[in-house]
Amino acid sequence: MSERKALVVRGGWEGHAPVEATELFLPFLRENGFEVRVEESPEVYADADALAATDLIVQSVTMSEISHDQLKGLRAAVAAGTGMCGWHGGIADSYRNSSDYLQLIGGQFATHPSKEPGQCKGSQEDNYLPYTVELTELGREHPIMAGLDDFELDTEQYWVLHDDLIDVLATTTHPVRPWHPWHRPITSPAVWTRQWGEGRIMVATPGHSVEVLQDANVRTIMERGMLWATRTA
């Protein structure tokens, strides 16, 4: 059996530590039989031959841009069977000006609500809130989440705009607070999968920092998600 090939694409906003975050998972990929290639930009997506030979793309690129040819290549590769997965802004806030990318992924970061204004100090921690990741009924039966239970995090809680082609494995709910303008609780997907042509996509919104990715639940979800998304044919 030939070795599977994983392509790790990282870059964009340094606040999400794309190098350190992706380095966490390279040993896991190699231990599970992947030959790993690492690229520091999405330029590789325009290389049709490279993507055709890729079984899994792990992307960590936040608030960046993607060219027409790069996006065309990525969409074609996933539709043909290349798997794709990622976490947090590295997949759900990668190329916010590219509507065809948003359609491919199925969910886009909109905001992460902040603490009470009097507690805000102008740092990233202003948006760290305690919240619960709640598994859906589908999630409890899915190989990515099997055996896990609802869990707590204290980090950015993503509010996600999404469509109904995604299969939601876990959610998180933004409560009503006096300093926020919404008037009823808002539930966002926190972990989802998506079938796109022959390809599988897996997204988890926790992962703002290396520390969050080291959480036992988050890391388990990401590692299982990589295996699940890998080309199946």
Side-chain angles (χ1 to χ4, degrees), residues 78-100:
V78 174
T82 299
M84 184 175 184
C85 71
W87 54 85
H88 203 62
I91 192 167
D93 190 22
S94 300
Y95 318 111
R96 59 176 68 169
N97 290 330
S98 298
S99 59
D100 285 346

Side-chain angles (χ1 to χ4, degrees), residues 10-70:
R10 62 195 186 188
W13 185 56
E14 286 296 326
H16 283 159
V19 172
E20 295 85 347
T22 51
E23 290 289 327
L24 277 181
F25 297 101
L26 300 189
F28 172 83
L29 289 169
R30 293 183 176 119
E31 289 163 7
N32 280 273
F34 287 91
E35 175 188 324
V36 180
R37 173 179 176 179
V38 178
E39 294 289 336
E40 308 296 335
S41 85
E43 290 179 12
V44 66
Y45 292 156
D47 185 341
D49 292 338
L51 262 61
T54 297
D55 299 297
L56 173 67
I57 296 168
V58 179
Q59 181 184 272
S60 181
V61 181
T62 305
M63 290 188 292
S64 189
E65 295 181 350
I66 190 168
S67 74
H68 171 79
D69 288 344
Q70 292 161 12

Side-chain angles (χ1 to χ4, degrees), residues 97-115:
N97 290 330
S98 298
S99 59
D100 285 346
Y101 177 79
L102 307 186
Q103 185 199 25
L104 173 68
I105 300 302
Q108 166 65 26
F109 161 81
T111 191
H112 34 55
S114 71
K115 296 176 179 175

Side-chain angles (χ1 to χ4, degrees), residues 26 119 166 177 196 211:
L26 300 189
Q119 297 179 357
I166 63 175
R177 296 184 174 99
W196 192 259
E211 290 73 22

Side-chain angles (χ1 to χ4, degrees), residues 106-145:
Q108 166 65 26
F109 161 81
T111 191
H112 34 55
S114 71
K115 296 176 179 175
E116 190 275 323
Q119 297 179 357
C120 293
K121 301 176 181 178
S123 67
Q124 292 184 30
E125 288 75 15
D126 291 351
N127 301 314
Y128 291 7
L129 296 172
Y131 69 92
T132 304
V133 175
E134 298 180 272
L135 277 66
T136 62
E137 288 188 22
L138 174 64
R140 293 184 188 281
E141 299 173 355
H142 197 283
I144 292 176
M145 313 293 283

